[in-house]
Amino acid sequence: DVKVTQSSRYLVKRTGEKVFLECVQDMDHENMFWYRQDPGLGLRLIYFSYDVKMKEKGDIPEGYSVSREKKERFSLILESASTNQTSMYLCASSLGTGQGRNTQYFGPGTRLTVL
Amino acid sequence: AQSVAQPEDQVNVAEGNPLTVKCTYSVSGNPYLFWYVQYPNRGLQFLLKYITGDNLVKGSYGFEAEFNKSQTSFHLKKPSALVSDSALYFCAVREGTGGFKTIFGAGTRLFVKA
């Protein structure tokens, strides 16, 4: 089974702090994704990566950056946390992009509260 | 542009009754369609997907979904609901011709009453 782990289940930070969310997958997947989940809005894509050191902006990248130095690890960085970034953050990975390879597997999520 | 609509915020059904969770989509080209389920305080779990072939797709936990191209729908169904099916369900679509983005619906909360 694919396992996607996230470094924290719950996190409380203060406005202006720099926040790191870590995600690790153990199945040699090429693609990794960061989403935020908010009630009534579903999942919105923040960033994704299709290879080591490669990244693409999703629909809501403002206020976030990412890092993928190793294939198995994809980090989401909040440069200066703000209260409107309080949310559930979900990491996902997929084998690739072709038919049969694009099912995404999700981590348990990190519930971030910014005070 | 791709889009997904889940027209019901909430679906209530009695245990043992059939359930349907609705999803419609818009995509240029052939769609890849997915259903995911989220239990409380958990990440999303993959249920099933349609890529090509048979319009009726069977997935985990007794769920199935029917792809209807003319109605651009991909409704999730189960013949007999269980209380343990109560969760948040997400429909998702991706354009089959390439790209990386999968678009998720807003989610439908299913309540199954004993």
Side-chain angles (χ1 to χ4, degrees):
Chain A
D1 277 353
V2 177
K3 191 161 185 188
V4 181
T5 57
Q6 294 182 230
S7 51
S8 306
R9 293 298 303 274
Y10 300 93
L11 211 52
V12 180
K13 295 292 182 180
R14 297 214 173 270
T15 302
E17 279 192 79
K18 191 168 185 176
V19 182
F20 293 87
L21 303 182
E22 305 284 339
C23 175
V24 177
Q25 50 93 4
D26 67 355
M27 285 300 291
D28 203 35
H29 282 182
E30 291 178 5
N31 300 338
M32 296 188 75
F33 308 82
W34 274 107
Y35 295 89
R36 62 177 284 176
Q37 180 184 3
D38 300 288
L41 297 177
L43 274 68
R44 293 180 290 168
L45 182 64
I46 303 171
Y47 268 96
F48 63 94
S49 168
Y50 52 90
D51 201 351
V52 176
K53 297 191 187 294
M54 306 302 288
K55 60 186 179 185
E56 291 285 341
K57 293 180 180 179
D59 297 316
I60 51 164
E62 296 79 19
Y64 303 95
S65 63
V66 290
S67 172
R68 193 166 180 202
E69 296 296 319
K70 293 184 178 180
K71 192 173 186 178
E72 66 271 18
R73 187 180 297 270
F74 191 37
S75 303
L76 179 70
I77 302 152
L78 286 66
E79 298 290 343
S80 177
S82 63
T83 55
N84 63 12
Q85 292 178 309
T86 292
S87 186
M88 170 73 93
Y89 290 88
L90 295 171
C91 175
S93 69
S94 69
L95 189 59
T97 54
Q99 191 179 104
R101 294 163 56 88
N102 51 30
T103 299
Q104 292 186 26
Y105 296 89
F106 285 81
T110 296
R111 187 167 293 282
L112 173 67
T113 302
V114 183
L115 301 175
Chain B
Q2 302 163 213
S3 66
V4 177
Q6 293 182 242
E8 301 153 317
D9 291 336
Q10 185 171 309
V11 170
N12 298 308
V13 66
E15 189 173 33
N17 283 1
L19 70 88
T20 299
V21 183
K22 295 179 181 176
C23 172
T24 59
Y25 67 89
S26 173
V27 66
S28 55
N30 294 321
Y32 291 170
L33 294 156
F34 305 83
W35 276 102
Y36 289 84
V37 60
Q38 185 179 37
Y39 297 102
N41 298 314
R42 303 276 295 276
L44 274 68
Q45 294 179 31
F46 169 74
L47 269 182
L48 51 80
K49 67 180 177 184
Y50 171 83
I51 302 296
T52 187
D54 195 345
N55 288 346
L56 185 64
V57 180
K58 293 189 185 296
S60 306
Y61 313 122
F63 284 93
E64 58 189 28
E66 187 166 12
F67 170 62
N68 188 317
K69 189 172 183 178
S70 62
Q71 296 186 4
T72 61
S73 67
F74 190 57
H75 301 331
L76 182 70
K77 300 183 180 186
K78 188 173 182 181
S80 179
L82 299 172
V83 172
S84 57
D85 292 330
S86 298
L88 188 56
Y89 290 81
F90 290 95
C91 181
V93 65
R94 200 189 120 177
E95 189 177 330
T97 53
F100 298 91
K101 283 181 61 175
T102 300
I103 303 299
F104 287 80
T108 297
R109 191 165 293 281
L110 173 67
F111 286 101
V112 181
K113 202 170 184 181

